[in-house]
Amino acid sequence: MAQHGTDAPDDPAGRHACDAARITALVEGASADDWSRPSPVPEWTALDVVKHLVEWPRDFLKGAGIDLEPLDVDADPAAAWKRHVADVQSILDDPAGRVLSNPNTGDKPVDEAIDQFYTADIWAHSWDLAKALGREPDLGEERCRAALEGMKPIEQLLRDSGQFGPAVPVADDASPQDKLVAFIGRDPAWRPEG
């Protein structure tokens, strides 16, 4: 679902650097107590959001023959995140013609695969992490609009994948960001308790 509006860089390396920086700022601003805060993703804490963004892509990249060492997110979320960002950015800065093969996504140049599946995930989950930490995220109006337009035609496929919850109803005049997060199963008005 790599849909990019005018407010995002237009290359895979640039998009990842931009979107990862948003998460990095959140991670660096989190206290030790913040990691146990609930997130808008049911049954996930703030720490679980970061673990998801670190763990699945490291496994995914094995499809391109890239074997990155596991990182201990529980021990030091900020250090693990920063190391992970550096690892992925180095692949994007020099994809070296590598192709990622995956039974679910087929064969794609590694930089395109990261951009389409992982960078888009960072961008979307930055909303979850910001909300978990009590901050108001801004995913970019045009980018949200473009992402939603790209997902609507394949809505049933997305729902069947189990990656998204049921859509949350929002007003017709809701912002593009609220419409997008509602589409993927988040309540735009979600707030952490306490």
Side-chain angles (χ1 to χ4, degrees):
M1 270 30 73
Q3 300 293 326
H4 309 288
T6 57
D7 50 354
D10 63 359
D11 66 291
R15 265 189 296 277
H16 177 264
C18 177
D19 291 344
R22 178 183 286 121
I23 297 272
T24 300
L26 292 167
V27 166
E28 289 178 336
S31 71
D33 291 339
D34 284 337
W35 294 116
S36 61
R37 292 172 63 124
S39 84
V41 182
E43 301 179 19
W44 277 15
T45 63
L47 180 64
D48 293 323
V49 174
V50 176
K51 283 175 82 166
H52 168 75
L53 292 173
V54 168
E55 292 173 355
W56 82 260
R58 294 178 93 75
D59 187 55
F60 182 66
L61 288 167
K62 290 177 183 175
I66 300 168
D67 196 9
L68 300 172
E69 68 180 73
L71 299 173
D72 190 347
V73 180
D74 291 305
D76 189 339
W81 173 253
K82 288 185 221 174
R83 169 68 186 276
H84 176 68
V85 168
D87 289 345
V88 173
Q89 192 66 47
S90 70
I91 295 164
L92 288 167
D93 289 342
D94 183 17
R98 291 176 283 201
V99 172
L100 190 143
S101 298
N102 181 284
N104 299 314
T105 62
D107 293 351
K108 293 183 177 289
V110 70
D111 55 336
E112 289 179 24
I114 291 170
D115 189 45
Q116 184 175 359
F117 300 106
Y118 180 60
T119 302
D121 205 37
I122 292 175
W123 175 67
H125 281 301
S126 69
W127 187 90
D128 296 315
L129 186 58
K131 286 293 216 177
L133 297 175
R135 294 175 180 77
E136 281 305 313
D138 180 2
L139 298 180
E141 185 172 310
E142 179 56 34
R143 194 166 173 195
C144 288
R145 186 178 291 113
L148 185 57
E149 287 173 12
M151 286 190 275
K152 279 184 177 178
I154 56 169
E155 179 173 3
Q156 196 56 52
L157 177 71
L158 296 173
R159 302 263 176 246
D160 292 346
S161 76
Q163 299 297 311
F164 300 109
V168 173
V170 291
D172 289 343
D173 63 350
S175 71
Q177 178 172 291
D178 285 356
K179 286 180 180 179
L180 174 67
V181 298
F183 179 86
I184 63 173
R186 310 285 198 270
D187 178 357
W190 186 93
R191 300 278 182 274
E193 294 178 9

